[in-house]
Amino acid sequence: MTLHATLLVFVLAATGRSAAAAPPETGWWPADLPPRVATPLDETEDQRRARMAWWREARFGMFIHWGLYAIPGGYWEGRRTGGAEWILNSVKIHPDDYMPLRFQFDPVDFDPTEWAMIAKNAGMRYLVVTSKHHDGFCLWPSEFTEFDVDGTPFERDVIGELFDACRAEGVVPCLYHSIMDWTHPDYLPRRAWDDRPGGDHERYVRHMHRQLEELIDRYGPGVLWFDGEWEGTWTHADGQRTYDLVRGIDPRIIVNNRVDTGRTGMAGLTREGGYRGDFGTPEQEIPATGLPRGVDWETCMTMNRSWGYQSFDVAYKTTSDLVRKLVDIASKGGNFLLNVGPDERGRFPAEARKRLAGGGRWMAMNAESIHGTNGSPFADLPWGRCTRSSLPGGGERLYLHVFDPPANNAIRLPGLLTEPAHRAAYLLSDPGRGGMAVERDGADLVVSLPDGTPLDPIDTVLVLDLVAPALVVEGPSIAIESGIFVDPFAVAIGSPDPSVEVRSTTDGSDPTFDDGFDSDRIDVDRTMTVRTRCFFEGVPVGGVVERRYEKVDPIAAVQPFAIRDGIAWRTFLGAFESVSALADADVESEGVASRVDLSMQPRDENFGVTFTGFVEIPSTGVWGFSLDSDDGSTLRIHDSLVVDNDGLHSALEKSGAIALEAGLHPIRIDYFEATGQDDLILKWSRPGSDTFVRIPVERFKR
Ligand code: H79
């Protein structure tokens, strides 16, 4: 069947849902396609370095989520769903009711040059746009479907125009392409409410491969950014052959790790096991420090809460927060892919423009400290972050990103043994302003910020050149955080740096090279303060690291008269700003729940809930508890305040610990929600573990 005839079938079918249930063979996707064979590629380290070079240098890119979902913009049948680009799935819309949105796609304000210029002016070096999201709609005119821009009143080739505009602005154009596809008649698994017959995984993969071939041949994307790989139908073998196919068509392409099945949840890095993918993809989070060097990763993040456009989502991060996130990511050797969700007319939301322009003003003066830099040589700097780049002649340039200037204006670089190339550092935004004194203090270098230095409230960048690549002795590590304990334990002490030796004390005194314990384990059997320090050729380097361990007696369990399952709850109505206000409010309703959650919430906003009962502790020891809530919450066990997460705030997790004997203990959780999002999650961690998990329902009694 020709595409014209196929389109006709669709137009007839689209007039009524029942008529649209055409079998996939006669839908508007060609029935079957010959497979394209992929051969695995061999690549040397040098070839890989050359291929990744532009991407590693770029550090900052723009993500664009745009498609039919911008038309409902999160609303469906007059209701605010919050579903954004997931609306088909979150509202359980039948594909036949969703696909006609294409007849309304007419974004008359779409201006690809403006989009590319906004990205460029924000300091972004690449742009990743959704060729196809999970809803299956294609933003380019594809030979292989009519569910594409050609099937809309708009008819323009969005991908082609945007790619041309990006190239004209020097921004590398790239594509996001979803594996999961809720409308393609061959994609499996089906949504539960999608009653269309048929489906054939192999045929779907062939279709996807032909579309990828079309996209690569026609547009030449710098990155292919896959997503939606987690439904069981997509296998490791599919990941391998798709990666190999894509690189086989254009060996220069960089492919993210979601092409295969090796991604570790939202943290996004690739697990061991030979999975395909050139970089890890943390989503909405930034990894903690300490990633192994040479691992490529990119954090993708929204500016507000949604990827696709939703007018009512005004929970935007501040410009300062976004710039600092970029700096934090660069200091850890990663890239930042920051999202914009244009609206149904093709406009960037005003809030997003404002932030991109603000970030661009910072980048206009400080981009050198981001583009082409490497991660920080320091594990942790209390005043900010550090990035660096090589200097011709073998030296290294450090960019000191001052977020919070210390009160004494001394920017300390702990354990930095390399000598400065000049006796002065300078402001990146104003090199002519004159130098800032750099002095050695033992193993540390200290830059003094003169009074009156114009500080950038977002991030003031200082430049410090070194004679050689930074050599930093790391401080000692003490494996266990300060806290309380019941049973004796041993704590490991050490330095990741083999060139230093470690000395420790347990009596509160400063360790010296001759008198301190020379041991990598300390037995903790009573209340003590462990202090430890590194020595380089007998001379102390870096600061003293200290932990305090306090031996406590576990609180005895109680033996209530008669216990039942569940935990009692009460709700309150009112504009509370602290859990303490619940004490003066009238009870609205009460009941019993099997666990601590918001299933009984009386309304969306301005309410409170308290839970009272017992928690059954399985074994004696120090138990951790955490409350993740929006807004405030507190947890009391007996009469101790174990977790204080009170006050007005967005989703925030806090934790605390208490020593308890096995058995029942009285527990009380207070929670309130003012306005906006609401959430309440209670978890615990067993003695000796720092992993928090939900408390099994059978542990709640009353
Ligand atoms: O395109 C944006 C979102 O629409 C899409 N990815 C970004 C870039 C997205 N889809 N789903 N999600 C984000 C959240 C889904 C998370 C989960 Fe999972 C999928 C939880 C369980 C399955 C992540 C993947 C954690 C485990 C597997």
Side-chain angles (χ1 to χ4, degrees):
M1 191 187 285
T2 66
L3 282 176
H4 263 117
T6 335
L7 179 60
L8 240 172
V9 169
F10 174 74
V11 171
L12 294 174
T15 52
R17 190 177 124 187
S18 50
E25 289 79 7
T26 57
W28 7 285
W29 288 269
D32 211 344
L33 297 162
R36 207 181 138 136
V37 180
T39 36
L41 296 166
D42 277 330
E43 189 179 40
T44 65
E45 270 301 302
D46 279 349
Q47 285 171 325
R48 176 173 166 84
R49 198 173 307 124
R51 178 165 66 93
M52 297 298 291
W54 75 263
W55 186 88
R56 289 176 179 163
E57 271 174 40
R59 287 285 176 253
F60 194 21
M62 177 180 281
F63 216 169
I64 296 187
H65 276 72
W66 202 40
L68 296 184
Y69 41 81
I71 300 167
Y75 287 94
W76 200 257
E77 291 171 348
R79 196 168 65 85
R80 244 187 218 199
T81 70
E85 78 285 356
W86 271 73
I87 195 163
L88 181 152
N89 189 78
S90 27
V91 186
K92 303 189 171 34
I93 303 170
H94 194 284
D96 295 342
D97 296 329
Y98 183 90
M99 289 191 283
L101 279 172
R102 73 186 175 98
F103 298 112
Q104 289 166 277
F105 188 76
D106 195 14
V108 290
D109 294 327
F110 171 58
D111 182 347
T113 300
E114 191 190 12
W115 287 14
M117 282 175 62
I118 291 177
K120 171 164 191 133
N121 292 337
M124 293 161 156
R125 290 273 179 93
Y126 60 112
L127 182 154
V128 182
V129 60
T130 46
S131 45
K132 183 190 84 164
H133 204 266
H134 309 329
D135 66 355
F137 178 71
C138 298
L139 273 170
W140 81 103
S142 172
E143 265 183 59
F144 303 105
T145 179
E146 291 300 326
F147 192 45
D148 65 357
V149 276
D150 245 5
T152 72
F154 195 54
E155 287 191 322
R156 281 161 59 185
D157 178 0
V158 169
I159 297 298
E161 290 188 30
L162 186 54
F163 269 48
D164 288 346
C166 284
R167 291 206 165 98
E169 296 300 326
V171 172
V172 180
C174 307
L175 293 175
Y176 167 109
H177 200 78
S178 176
I179 291 168
M180 179 162 73
D181 190 320
W182 300 324
T183 55
H184 193 283
D186 275 332
Y187 179 79
L188 294 173
R190 285 264 191 277
R191 306 297 102 181
W193 56 94
D194 176 358
D195 54 1
R196 295 175 302 169
D200 181 328
H201 178 70
E202 265 308 305
R203 204 161 54 185
Y204 173 71
V205 174
R206 286 202 290 278
H207 163 81
M208 198 182 102
H209 284 179
R210 295 303 291 265
Q211 285 204 318
L212 289 168
E213 192 183 356
E214 184 182 46
L215 285 167
I216 296 165
D217 285 344
R218 198 183 297 166
Y219 304 109
V223 173
L224 262 176
W225 211 107
F226 288 95
D227 198 8
E229 83 288 14
W230 59 81
E231 298 203 298
T233 45
W234 189 255
T235 63
H236 176 44
D238 292 332
Q240 287 178 318
R241 59 183 170 143
T242 302
Y243 180 93
D244 295 343
L245 173 98
V246 163
R247 295 274 322 285
I249 301 171
D250 183 349
R252 297 167 303 181
I253 293 192
I254 296 171
V255 183
N256 72 339
N257 67 345
R258 300 189 187 187
V259 71
D260 203 340
T261 51
R263 166 165 69 125
T264 54
M266 298 295 271
L269 299 177
T270 312
R271 68 173 70 86
E272 297 283 318
Y275 294 99
R276 296 285 199 270
D278 297 316
F279 62 93
T281 50
E283 179 165 328
Q284 301 287 36
E285 58 181 83
I286 300 174
T289 36
L291 285 182
R293 233 165 236 280
V295 172
D296 290 298
W297 57 274
E298 173 193 70
T299 282
C300 59
M301 199 178 274
T302 52
M303 273 191 227
N304 49 0
R305 288 202 172 103
S306 350
W307 298 95
Y309 176 71
Q310 300 197 106
S311 60
F312 51 83
D313 181 354
V314 290
Y316 279 84
K317 300 171 185 78
T318 63
T319 304
S320 173
D321 186 14
L322 292 169
V323 171
R324 287 180 176 199
K325 284 187 158 71
L326 169 64
V327 172
D328 183 31
I329 288 167
S331 81
K332 294 169 179 169
N335 281 13
F336 192 29
L337 189 62
L338 181 58
N339 184 67
V340 180
D343 72 9
E344 79 288 1
R345 292 175 64 97
R347 297 171 299 199
F348 281 12
E351 296 89 339
R353 288 163 174 274
K354 211 165 102 186
R355 282 155 183 80
L356 291 166
R361 281 192 289 278
W362 183 88
M363 284 293 275
M365 291 185 294
N366 299 295
E368 184 194 315
S369 69
I370 301 292
H371 294 145
T373 61
N374 294 312
S376 174
F378 305 99
D380 181 43
L381 296 168
W383 42 262
R385 299 290 184 276
C386 176
T387 54
R388 54 173 160 170
S389 56
S390 302
L391 290 173
E396 191 166 63
R397 173 165 291 180
L398 298 187
Y399 299 98
L400 313 178
H401 297 264
V402 183
F403 292 174
D404 307 300
N408 61 1
N409 281 346
I411 310 297
R412 184 169 289 271
L413 300 165
L416 177 55
L417 301 182
T418 318
E419 293 304 327
H422 321 286
R423 286 277 129 206
Y426 61 87
L427 268 185
L428 179 58
S429 60
D430 190 1
R433 209 189 138 77
M436 303 171 186
V438 182
E439 274 156 3
R440 178 154 294 288
D441 178 16
D444 304 348
L445 278 186
V446 180
V447 180
S448 303
L449 266 184
D451 280 339
T453 307
L455 296 177
D456 185 326
I458 296 180
D459 170 16
T460 308
V461 185
L462 314 183
V463 178
L464 173 62
D465 288 347
L466 303 176
V467 294
L471 177 66
V472 176
V473 283
E474 296 191 36
S477 63
I478 306 181
I480 299 176
E481 290 304 315
S482 297
I484 54 175
F485 70 97
V486 173
D487 297 318
F489 63 101
V491 59
I493 288 182
S495 167
D497 189 331
S499 66
V500 302
E501 290 179 79
V502 176
R503 296 289 184 274
S504 312
T505 62
T506 57
D507 62 0
S509 65
D510 267 351
T512 63
F513 187 69
D514 296 326
D515 296 339
F517 292 119
D518 172 12
S519 166
D520 56 7
R521 271 171 90 78
I522 288 188
D523 290 318
V524 181
D525 52 3
R526 62 197 149 81
T527 294
M528 65 169 66
T529 300
V530 175
R531 308 190 85 217
T532 179
R533 183 165 215 184
C534 291
F535 293 82
F536 184 68
E537 293 171 357
V539 179
V541 290
V544 174
V545 175
E546 181 181 296
R547 298 280 193 276
R548 184 171 167 79
Y549 303 110
E550 190 184 344
K551 186 163 167 55
V552 294
D553 293 326
I555 302 174
V558 296
Q559 284 181 332
F561 163 65
I563 58 162
R564 286 157 296 168
D565 288 336
I567 186 162
W569 54 263
R570 292 174 159 179
T571 61
F572 306 86
L573 301 180
F576 309 113
E577 297 194 349
S578 159
V579 296
S580 57
L582 298 176
D584 303 325
D586 293 330
V587 175
E588 191 258 348
S589 63
E590 55 190 358
V592 175
S594 58
R595 61 159 68 213
V596 173
D597 63 19
L598 293 182
S599 50
M600 74 297 294
Q601 83 178 64
R603 59 187 186 191
D604 280 352
E605 302 192 326
N606 293 321
F607 68 92
V609 189
T610 64
F611 299 84
T612 52
F614 301 95
V615 60
E616 187 177 34
I617 297 293
S619 63
T620 300
V622 177
W623 284 77
F625 290 87
S626 79
L627 276 173
D628 186 346
S629 71
D630 177 355
D631 288 291
S633 60
T634 55
L635 168 73
R636 287 184 167 75
I637 293 182
H638 294 273
D639 289 323
S640 293
L641 180 60
V642 180
V643 182
D644 183 358
N645 197 6
D646 200 8
L648 285 168
H649 54 71
S650 51
L652 177 69
E653 185 166 359
K654 291 227 175 142
S655 62
I658 185 168
L660 300 170
E661 271 183 3
L664 291 169
H665 296 269
I667 183 174
R668 174 188 178 98
I669 294 101
D670 294 283
Y671 164 84
F672 77 93
E673 154 65 9
T675 57
Q677 300 271 346
D678 49 64
D679 221 343
L680 176 65
I681 300 166
L682 170 66
K683 294 182 177 176
W684 71 9
S685 64
R686 316 188 132 260
S689 160
D690 46 19
T691 307
F692 286 90
V693 296
R694 299 224 189 199
I695 304 175
V697 289
E698 64 272 17
R699 298 290 173 188
F700 293 109
K701 307 285 179 194
R702 69 201 155 92

